[in-house]
């Protein structure tokens, strides 16, 4: 397993969660060179990009999370995090960590986020 996601859970609408993705067995130079991202997939829907962050720490967010979610990376710990605030029931999904460079990419196992109304 290249990527290990954690931090999901059940939270009420308006609450917060922080997801973490670790890559303990990934070569450090590979982690540092890859774009790290979070995707999500709700039941019956396609997987969609939530946010990603480049090696230079440029960030990109889906419109539906702008202003609420923040992605960050710690290269020394080979970790990427997603701080999720002001959660909505529509944010309920399995969240997946992704690491990619060019045509090579890795996926984590997913962590379930459930937001109750």
């Amino acid at each position: 397993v290249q990527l290990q996601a954690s931090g999901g859970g059940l939270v009420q609408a308006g609450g917060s969660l922080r997801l973490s993705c670790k890559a303990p067995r990934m070569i450090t130079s590979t982690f540092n060179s890859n774009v790290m991202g979070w995707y999500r997939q709700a039941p019956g829907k396609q997987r969609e990009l939530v946010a990603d962050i480049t090696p230079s720490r440029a960030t990109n967010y889906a419109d539906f999370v702008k202003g609420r979610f923040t992605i960050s990376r710690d290269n020394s710990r080979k970790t990427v995090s997603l701080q999720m605030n002001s959660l909505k029931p529509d944010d309920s999904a399995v969240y997946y960590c992704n690491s990619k460079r060019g045509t090579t990419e890795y996926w984590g196992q997913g962590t379930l986020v459930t937001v109750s109304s």
Side-chain angles (χ1 to χ4, degrees):
V1 176
Q2 292 279 0
L3 303 174
Q4 301 171 353
S6 62
L10 174 64
V11 64
Q12 288 188 332
S16 299
L17 283 174
R18 185 176 181 86
L19 306 183
S20 291
C21 174
K22 299 181 180 180
R25 288 192 285 276
M26 185 176 288
I27 297 172
T28 300
S29 60
T30 298
F31 183 90
N32 294 350
S33 300
N34 284 11
V35 175
M36 301 298 298
W38 287 95
Y39 290 71
R40 71 186 189 186
Q41 187 168 19
K45 296 187 177 181
Q46 290 190 330
R47 191 172 297 188
E48 58 186 357
L49 174 68
V50 175
D52 60 25
I53 183 168
T54 69
S56 62
R57 292 182 168 77
T59 57
N60 173 51
Y61 294 94
D63 287 343
F64 52 77
V65 303
K66 283 182 180 177
R68 301 189 297 125
F69 292 9
T70 303
I71 190 170
S72 60
R73 65 189 295 162
D74 183 341
N75 288 348
S76 66
R77 298 182 178 182
K78 293 186 287 185
T79 299
V80 60
S81 299
L82 184 70
Q83 178 65 43
M84 306 187 295
N85 298 329
S86 302
L87 283 161
K88 306 174 182 180
D90 285 350
D91 294 319
S92 297
V94 178
Y95 284 71
Y96 296 91
C97 179
N98 176 274
S99 176
K100 65 182 176 184
R101 184 182 183 190
T103 58
T104 301
E105 64 179 344
Y106 306 96
W107 290 95
Q109 82 283 8
T111 185
L112 178 64
V113 172
T114 304
V115 185
S116 62
S117 57

